[in-house]
Amino acid sequence: MKTTTAALALSLVMAMPAWAETVDVGLILSLSGSGAVLGTEMQKGADLALEMSGGKLGGLDAHFVYEDDQRKPDVGKTAAERLTRSEKVDFVIGPSYSNVMMAVQAPIVRSGTPLISPNPAPAELAGRGCNENYFVIPFQNDQPSEALGLYLNEKGVKRVFLLAPNYQAGKDVIDGFKRSFKGEIVSEIYTSLEQNDFSAEITEIRARAPEAVLAFMPGGLGVQFVKQYDQAGLKPNSALYTVFTVFNGVSLDAIGPAAEGVYSVDQWTYDLDNDANRAFVEAYRTKYGTLPSNFAAMAYDSVRLIDGAIAKAGGIGDMDAVRAAMRKASFHSVRGDFAFNNNQHPIHSMYLAKVDKDADGTLAVRSQELMVEKMADSFAQECRME
């Protein structure tokens, strides 16, 4: 009788359909403290993607497990270990900042769990540190500023002032610009990630009188810096170009009119003309009552990447097939054309955007022109993955 019962149980398990599988996705984001503005935007984008797919990914019931890294590497590492060892999630999306990425990437990819970055992409992980379980949706950290350097060369700009926080992403941004820009770097300043008063830096900018300033100031830093830059009256003589600083939604709302005329270098803008983007923007505005930020869009695409890969692989039973589908970018991106390079970082277009008013006076970051088309990052050739 025991043999008959066991055989019956086995036959029932074998007969269970593929839809009985569930997908667990861990999300490690900065959801509290001064870095929460980015993490909250990413949470909105991810939640919207799952909602728009009916709570399923690749046709399977899906569940999100959120962890708050507080923008602290040690907290992020603990969260990564909990998600992969205790929760045994199938995928991880996150984190929000590069300093946390450097702490969580190794334990996650070593566990065999695919890690999808919705924002940070440190140079060390794009070249020799690439990994089959590590996918980057938005960019490699150096790319936007490297594209800006090429653009300013074409425009004949000769003198630029550089400003960024003193951590990995800040160094990547500055390195990317210096790699492509042919003119003079009049000054290169690294600030604290907790800094709110930029009067000393603004005084130096005024004294140096550059043609342009490149500033990378994420989250609350950007709100304070752009306001203080506007109050100093520097924009007419020293155009302000930013990366990862001014974005629709929380950041722009917090900065207000002081952001008008500020430039931003982006791989995505809300007004890109493709079906996937129009559907995303409309759904986001309906749900949250504002334009989506770059961070929300990239988290949305991160979830869509998982959705498309599971559907193409026919489930999550064969994770090698899932990874292969991820490498082929089996989803419709809000950026339109999208492909992964050999290091699983994107090959994509970079745009110059600008904060200006629409017909009813509403401020928004809008695309101005295409800067570089089908841009690959500068580290892919060092990646040993085939």
Side-chain angles (χ1 to χ4, degrees), residues 46-67:
D47 286 347
L48 179 61
L50 186 59
E51 180 181 311
M52 291 177 68
S53 64
K56 297 179 181 293
L57 294 177
L60 307 179
D61 288 336
H63 176 236
F64 281 176
V65 182
Y66 278 103
E67 293 280 352

Side-chain angles (χ1 to χ4, degrees), residues 258-322:
E260 188 170 5
V262 173
Y263 294 97
S264 179
V265 183
D266 295 306
Q267 81 286 7
W268 171 87
T269 58
Y270 82 95
D271 50 357
L272 291 183
D273 188 17
N274 66 73
D275 291 341
N277 191 50
R278 283 190 292 271
F280 163 65
V281 172
E282 180 180 356
Y284 191 96
R285 295 185 78 164
T286 299
K287 183 174 179 64
Y288 300 114
T290 186
L291 288 172
S293 70
N294 203 307
F295 305 108
M298 297 303 100
Y300 176 90
D301 259 6
S302 298
V303 175
R304 299 296 297 150
L305 172 68
I306 295 172
D307 179 53
I310 294 174
K312 189 173 183 65
I316 55 174
D318 183 352
M319 288 304 293
D320 286 337
V322 173

Side-chain angles (χ1 to χ4, degrees), residues 20-248:
E21 293 180 298
T22 59
V23 183
D24 292 315
V25 181
L27 296 98
I28 304 174
L29 301 172
S30 299
L31 298 172
S32 63
S34 58
V37 63
L38 270 65
T40 301
E41 285 293 292
M42 294 176 198
Q43 183 177 24
K44 288 180 178 179
D47 286 347
L48 179 61
L50 186 59
E51 180 181 311
M52 291 177 68
S53 64
K56 297 179 181 293
L57 294 177
L60 307 179
D61 288 336
H63 176 236
F64 281 176
V65 182
Y66 278 103
E67 293 280 352
D68 177 12
D69 61 41
Q70 305 170 38
R71 206 175 69 182
K72 298 176 181 178
D74 58 333
V75 176
K77 185 177 181 181
T78 299
E81 292 171 345
R82 181 163 51 248
L83 288 173
T84 55
R85 294 178 183 177
S86 301
E87 299 289 344
K88 298 187 184 301
V89 297
D90 302 297
F91 303 87
V92 174
I93 295 174
S96 306
Y97 288 85
S98 288
N99 59 332
V100 182
M101 177 62 82
M102 294 304 296
V104 306
Q105 193 259 9
I108 294 173
V109 299
R110 279 201 301 259
S111 74
T113 308
L115 168 64
I116 302 100
S117 171
N119 185 49
E124 287 95 329
L125 305 181
R128 294 188 179 183
C130 65
N131 187 280
E132 67 171 359
N133 286 312
Y134 176 56
F135 295 82
V136 171
I137 281 289
F139 39 63
Q140 190 278 315
N141 283 352
D142 300 37
Q143 278 186 301
S145 57
E146 192 169 345
L148 178 62
L150 296 171
Y151 176 81
L152 294 182
N153 290 339
E154 293 179 359
K155 297 300 180 182
V157 174
K158 302 298 183 184
R159 303 178 69 251
V160 179
F161 190 108
L162 306 180
L163 191 68
N166 188 21
Y167 78 119
Q168 186 59 54
K171 295 173 184 177
D172 287 346
V173 167
I174 298 300
D175 287 346
F177 185 80
K178 290 164 66 176
R179 187 179 300 119
S180 61
F181 183 61
K182 304 302 181 184
E184 177 189 359
I185 306 298
V186 300
S187 187
E188 179 180 332
I189 294 181
Y190 294 90
T191 64
S192 166
L193 263 174
E194 307 302 326
Q195 186 167 332
N196 287 311
D197 182 1
F198 297 94
S199 55
E201 290 78 11
I202 287 173
T203 297
E204 184 170 349
I205 292 171
R206 189 188 303 279
R208 298 275 187 168
E211 295 170 74
V213 172
L214 166 59
F216 162 43
M217 290 288 154
L221 279 73
V223 173
Q224 296 303 318
F225 177 77
V226 174
K227 284 184 174 181
Q228 292 169 37
Y229 196 87
D230 179 69
Q231 291 168 359
L234 295 176
K235 281 187 287 187
N237 296 318
S238 299
L240 179 56
Y241 292 87
T242 65
V243 294
F244 322 138
T245 299
V246 180
F247 51 95
N248 292 312

Side-chain angles (χ1 to χ4, degrees), residues 135-137 305 326-327 329 338-342 344-347:
F135 295 82
V136 171
I137 281 289
L305 172 68
M326 292 174 72
R327 283 192 290 272
F338 176 95
F340 283 119
N341 207 340
N342 65 295
Q344 296 174 178
H345 287 59
I347 299 173

